Amino acid sequence: MPSREKKSRTIQVGYLTRVEGEGALHLTIRDGKLADIRFQIFEPPRFFEAFLRGRHASEVPDINARICGICPVAYQMSTVHALERLFGVEIHPSVRDLRRLYYCGEWIESHTLHVHMLAAPDFLGCESVVTMAEKHRDAVERGLRIKKAGNAIIEALGGRSVHPVGACIGGFTRAPRPDELTRLRDLLLRARDDAAEAVRWVAGFDLPDRSADIEFVALHHADEYAMNEGRIASSKGIDCMQEAFDEHFQEQQVSYSNALHARVKGRGPYFVGPLARVNLNFEQLGKDTIALARQTAIPWPNSNPYTSIVARALEVFYALSEAIRIIDFYQPPPKPAADWQPRAGVGRAVTEAPRGALYHSYETDERGLIRAARIVPPTSQNQARMEEDLRALVHEVLALNQAAATRLCETAIRNYDPCISCSTHFLKLEVERL
């Protein structure tokens, strides 16, 4: 019979590795039961929502691109969609296609970074991509080739691959010529072959089956795999307009984190990201991606967070296929951006960042100056769900040494590809005056 002392322990992970940003994990187990769990996001808030106030709406897309170096397109797209709803802007169909292509580029580069360099080492027994490259050099080189293709798309539309500046309210500052996009086609075709191989590779990993009762949330569109447009849907019955986000979801502050937790009102934590999208939108993936998904022998939909790495790889293949399709049918719009006029009001929108649904809300005055801004990133939405997954690991953690327990917990968190920098918010300040 194990002693009482062996049943109680504290697992402290001071710095989570292979995630974007700075976070930590604290678990306290007492008498075989979880006494305390804190997924701590301690990276300082960067106050974007605060310093957007007073800025003109036209400045906001470029400012928000600086929120994240990995997913700047997502921040630009949620920004422009929210502001266009506010100002009543109608975009040209070719601009709509270019934005979808733009988002494909970000999904490709972001997902590939996670799959090949952040998550794969967990399943291959490696400490990092550096040690992984010693045994799996071909896989690392494949990942770099695919990521290069995603970067090329972003650079073609955004002017540069890091913190791009091409997107604006109404469209783009410049529309590419057809020949500029056609030059990308061979690169994308080669990357698509690599992406198919990557799907088969990760599907062959020894993925734990820790299925749970999870509510998945993502945009859904009847005619396409949702990126920029669609209704908010969930696996437990939510079906609403993007503007109704606050009617179904709520954020709450916790004492140990600079990121707010999010919950479905009246229920609890939920899951956003590639697995949620694949689960809710499988039939919109297209015949080639669906055929590839069938080869994995993984049931879709499923509620096992550890299949997220396969869902990400499938989305890379889909995004490359979609990018090629858009390029093949591209016709430049009459002008890069639609005209618009500022007005007072509130605009809200959700788009699908690589890590999941990204909600933006803006209030402007009649001059188009920002009066209030609110950003709900996917990592903060997933934070409570991550803690639920960690709670389910308590009995396994109890039987492991410190190093093995740390790896197990970090792997569970990395399933969500957390972008910690994105998730930090300005916390509510209460002042008691006596």
Side-chain angles (χ1 to χ4, degrees):
M1 180 78 176
S3 68
R4 182 183 179 92
E5 287 74 18
K6 293 194 179 202
K7 285 188 176 183
S8 300
R9 63 189 299 191
T10 297
I11 307 293
Q12 182 73 42
V13 183
Y15 288 90
L16 294 168
T17 60
R18 284 186 273 125
V19 297
E20 198 286 322
E22 297 176 347
L25 176 65
H26 177 94
L27 294 177
T28 299
I29 302 168
R30 188 171 295 117
D31 293 333
K33 295 181 180 180
L34 184 66
D36 186 30
I37 179 171
R38 299 194 300 273
F39 174 35
Q40 298 167 305
I41 290 180
F42 53 78
E43 185 161 316
R46 292 176 297 150
F47 309 114
F48 273 83
E49 293 156 314
F51 66 65
L52 285 173
R53 292 199 296 268
R55 296 280 190 168
H56 194 269
S58 60
E59 299 178 89
V60 178
D62 282 351
I63 293 173
N64 282 350
R66 272 70 174 175
I67 291 176
C68 182
I70 298 174
C71 47
V73 171
Y75 281 91
Q76 287 185 321
M77 289 298 96
S78 285
T79 299
V80 297
H81 277 263
L83 291 171
E84 286 166 358
R85 289 176 180 225
L86 194 168
F87 299 139
V89 182
E90 295 290 335
I91 64 171
H92 191 273
S94 291
V95 169
R96 183 183 187 276
D97 287 342
L98 285 176
R99 285 184 173 175
R100 193 166 176 83
L101 177 62
Y102 198 32
Y103 232 141
C104 284
E106 181 158 279
W107 279 17
I108 294 163
E109 61 88 12
S110 178
H111 283 348
T112 300
L113 172 67
H114 174 80
V115 168
H116 287 81
M117 298 166 197
L118 304 182
D122 288 327
F123 302 102
L124 296 173
C126 301
E127 289 299 317
S128 69
V129 69
V130 175
T131 55
M132 189 181 105
E134 297 174 2
K135 298 180 180 179
H136 305 277
R137 183 183 180 90
D138 289 348
V140 174
E141 290 180 345
R142 179 183 61 221
L144 292 172
R145 288 194 302 270
I146 301 171
K147 189 176 186 304
K148 180 180 179 181
N151 288 345
I153 294 173
I154 296 174
E155 186 172 352
L157 293 168
R160 58 194 187 200
S161 60
V162 179
H163 300 319
V165 293
C168 63
I169 298 172
F172 289 87
T173 56
R174 174 185 176 274
R177 300 187 310 272
D179 66 288
E180 292 178 280
L181 296 184
T182 302
R183 285 200 292 268
L184 299 176
R185 199 176 189 280
D186 287 344
L187 175 64
L188 298 179
L189 283 170
R190 291 192 296 271
R192 187 177 182 269
D193 291 339
D194 280 332
E197 183 57 36
V199 170
R200 300 183 187 101
W201 179 59
V202 296
F205 290 171
D206 184 14
L207 302 174
D209 185 0
R210 295 196 175 91
S211 298
D213 180 16
I214 298 172
E215 182 161 10
F216 294 99
V217 174
L219 291 182
H220 174 78
H221 194 288
D223 302 322
E224 63 186 15
Y225 197 71
M227 288 184 178
N228 281 316
E229 300 173 7
R231 294 173 64 84
I232 301 173
S234 89
S235 56
K236 294 189 177 181
I238 294 174
D239 179 12
C240 68
M241 300 282 288
Q242 295 178 20
E243 290 87 348
F245 181 90
D246 286 328
E247 296 176 20
H248 296 274
F249 307 95
Q250 63 184 20
E251 290 184 292
Q252 62 186 49
Q253 184 176 328
V254 293
S255 61
Y256 52 83
S257 176
N258 285 350
L260 304 178
H261 280 202
R263 297 176 180 274
V264 175
K265 290 183 178 180
R267 288 205 282 271
Y270 58 99
F271 189 125
V272 300
L275 182 57
R277 291 191 292 257
V278 171
N279 280 342
L280 293 170
N281 302 308
F282 187 79
E283 296 303 322
Q284 281 76 31
L285 278 168
K287 61 181 181 62
D288 290 343
T289 310
I290 290 174
L292 186 59
R294 299 293 189 204
Q295 294 177 26
T296 67
I298 295 171
W300 308 100
N302 74 81
S303 58
N304 178 13
Y306 287 80
T307 63
S308 290
I309 189 172
V310 185
R312 275 190 177 82
L314 284 167
E315 284 198 336
V316 172
F317 180 84
Y318 170 80
L320 284 159
S321 302
E322 182 71 348
I324 294 167
R325 182 194 68 80
I326 292 169
I327 288 172
D328 286 346
F329 290 96
Y330 172 63
Q331 293 293 326
K335 54 184 179 180
D339 296 328
W340 59 278
Q341 294 295 324
R343 65 188 184 196
V346 176
R348 304 178 179 91
V350 177
T351 72
E352 286 289 345
R355 290 157 183 82
L358 171 60
Y359 174 71
H360 283 217
S361 175
Y362 300 99
E363 179 183 355
T364 61
D365 66 15
E366 66 280 357
R367 296 170 296 171
L369 300 181
I370 303 296
R371 297 183 61 183
R374 180 160 166 248
I375 298 171
V376 185
T379 292
S380 62
Q381 293 182 70
N382 275 334
Q383 190 176 351
R385 182 63 247 172
M386 291 184 222
E387 291 189 354
E388 290 296 307
D389 286 359
L390 292 167
R391 285 188 178 91
L393 295 177
V394 168
H395 294 297
E396 291 180 63
V397 167
L398 197 63
L400 300 174
N401 62 34
Q402 181 74 20
T406 297
R407 283 195 299 273
L408 180 65
C409 292
E410 285 193 330
T411 300
I413 291 172
R414 274 193 290 269
N415 283 326
Y416 295 82
D417 190 17
C419 190
I420 291 171
S421 296
C422 290
S423 65
T424 54
H425 277 57
F426 178 70
L427 304 184
K428 181 180 179 182
L429 177 65
E430 295 181 353
V431 179
E432 182 178 7
R433 300 183 186 276
L434 302 176

